[in-house]
Amino acid sequence: MSLLFMTNYYPNNSMNWIFISGLIFFASLLIKWYKALVEHSYMKAMLANIPGPPARYALLGNLDMIWNNCNVEQNPADYIFKSMAHLYRKEGIFKCRNANRVMVLIFNHELAQDFLKCNVNIEKAFEYQLLYDWLGKGLLINDSADLWRERRKLLTPAFHQTILTEFVPIFNEKSDILVKRLADCVDIKGVNICDLVFPTALDIITESGMGVKMNAQQNENRDYIHAIQEMGKCLLDRVFNPMLWSNIIFYMTSSGKQFKRNLNISHELTRRVINDRKDYLLQNKGNVCSDSDCKPSKRKRLAF
């Protein structure tokens, strides 16, 4: 009799657990679906207030606008952005659809300031993952909010005003060179300001950050600058081509191979700068005093 009871009890008990597990599984799916629906409705309502070109095709979004302008002399995506910026210059903001993803672009300084002051939505979009091979998962493009806060907390004390003031002479020196280069362009009809500002920024960040002179404004290390510019163009094309989002497919294309060559040039110089700085610190170990040990008149300015 006890044996009969046991054989009747366990099958029913296991069936009950299967039924309960199934209910929990479907309930969790229902909750996720509901949250996704609410989030989609909220985003749709928010995006409805932002102007932008209509999407002609459901799956492509506004990609056809870029692909239809591939014959223009400049980068197609850059051409479309400039055209949209001119069209929506009063609003200072517009949206466009990149396949199934909606991108909001801000080019008004007041709107950008309000957005940048917000520290709530700091998680990076999917497109930032395309930069990992180039820039790694540092503070700039890290997609983890918790890791971002942790590293930001470590770096914040280094940006104290008393520390940054020591680098003002470097800023002034490199800016004076920029002013002279701008003066040489007075009689030129049109100048791409990025060709002047980028080497200036490179000279400032390498000397103040690593204590290494790049002399980019004196046309040194031009291969590095060219590599950076080419990678930027390549990444912009990749962002607007969903077929190239996969690393496996991308690095099989001619564009991916060119990106890899430029990436090696970029990383080679980065490693050289770091190794040179390491050698300098090892050779001068004990000869560079800290802020607490030196008087202001004798203290040597340290690299950031």
Side-chain angles (χ1 to χ4, degrees):
M1 181 175 180
S2 59
L3 180 62
L4 179 63
F5 172 78
M6 292 176 63
T7 55
N8 289 335
Y9 174 76
Y10 281 103
N12 292 334
N13 188 43
S14 61
M15 289 298 295
N16 290 336
W17 278 110
I18 293 175
F19 178 73
I20 294 173
S21 301
L23 283 179
I24 295 174
F25 174 74
F26 285 110
S28 62
L29 289 180
L30 185 62
I31 293 173
K32 289 184 178 180
W33 175 80
Y34 177 75
K35 288 183 177 180
L37 182 63
V38 172
E39 182 179 355
H40 176 75
S41 301
Y42 173 77
M43 291 297 298
K44 187 176 181 180
M46 293 291 292
L47 292 171
N49 299 321
I50 301 176
R56 296 176 58 186
Y57 305 101
L59 295 179
L60 294 179
N62 299 115
L63 289 178
D64 62 305
M65 296 175 59
I66 296 176
W67 295 344
N68 291 338
N69 289 276
C70 287
N71 58 341
V72 298
E73 294 182 359
Q74 54 184 310
N75 184 282
D78 189 41
Y79 172 78
I80 294 299
F81 285 157
K82 290 179 179 178
S83 301
M84 292 297 102
H86 177 73
L87 182 62
Y88 299 105
R89 59 188 181 277
K90 293 183 179 180
E91 294 85 352
I93 185 175
F94 71 92
K95 66 183 177 185
C96 66
R97 280 190 54 195
N98 182 13
N100 64 332
R101 301 177 61 81
V102 180
M103 302 178 65
V104 177
L105 295 103
I106 303 173
F107 51 95
N108 177 279
H109 69 279
E110 294 180 353
L111 293 176
Q113 184 179 19
D114 292 337
F115 177 78
L116 293 173
K117 287 192 300 185
C118 177
N119 59 359
V120 177
N121 299 315
I122 59 176
E123 293 187 6
K124 303 298 188 297
F126 159 77
E127 286 77 10
Y128 282 86
Q129 297 180 17
L130 304 179
L131 295 169
Y132 285 168
D133 288 348
W134 180 11
L135 302 177
K137 296 184 179 181
L139 181 66
L140 178 64
I141 60 173
N142 198 299
D143 59 354
S144 171
D146 294 334
L147 190 58
W148 182 89
R149 291 189 180 92
E150 177 185 337
R151 294 184 176 180
R152 174 65 183 269
K153 187 176 181 180
L154 290 172
L155 286 173
T156 298
F159 287 89
H160 193 277
Q161 184 176 356
T162 56
I163 297 177
L164 296 178
T165 302
E166 297 185 0
F167 300 109
V168 171
I170 295 178
F171 302 160
N172 292 337
E173 176 188 347
K174 306 307 178 184
S175 298
D176 289 340
I177 299 176
L178 173 62
V179 171
K180 293 178 181 178
R181 297 184 70 196
L182 286 170
D184 296 335
C185 301
V186 171
D187 298 328
I188 301 177
K189 184 177 180 180
V191 176
N192 185 350
I193 194 66
C194 295
D195 293 338
L196 300 174
V197 173
F198 182 81
T200 306
L202 184 62
D203 280 345
I204 290 175
I205 190 60
T206 51
E207 186 168 347
S208 60
M210 297 295 294
V212 176
K213 292 182 180 292
M214 287 284 293
N215 296 324
Q217 295 188 94
Q218 285 79 18
N219 291 323
E220 296 184 20
N221 297 293
R222 293 299 302 176
D223 56 340
Y224 175 81
I225 297 176
H226 178 74
I228 295 297
Q229 293 173 336
E230 288 299 314
M231 283 194 292
K233 295 177 183 178
C234 183
L235 285 170
L236 188 60
D237 291 337
R238 188 182 180 189
V239 166
F240 290 96
N241 191 343
M243 293 183 293
L244 299 179
W245 287 353
S246 170
N247 283 337
I248 298 177
I249 297 177
F250 173 66
Y251 285 116
M252 292 175 61
T253 64
S254 59
S255 179
K257 294 176 181 178
Q258 181 184 5
F259 179 85
K260 193 70 174 180
R261 288 193 296 269
N262 290 321
L263 183 65
N264 292 333
I265 295 174
S266 169
H267 285 177
E268 181 182 355
L269 184 136
T270 303
R271 287 189 292 266
R272 176 162 58 85
V273 169
I274 293 175
N275 291 332
D276 289 346
R277 188 61 186 172
K278 283 182 177 180
D279 294 339
Y280 172 81
L281 293 175
L282 290 174
Q283 293 172 6
N284 295 272
K285 188 175 181 181
N287 295 330
V288 180
C289 53
S290 63
D291 291 353
S292 60
D293 298 332
C294 293
K295 295 180 180 180
S297 59
K298 296 181 179 180
R299 185 174 67 238
K300 179 180 175 62
R301 183 176 67 231
L302 301 177
F304 182 79

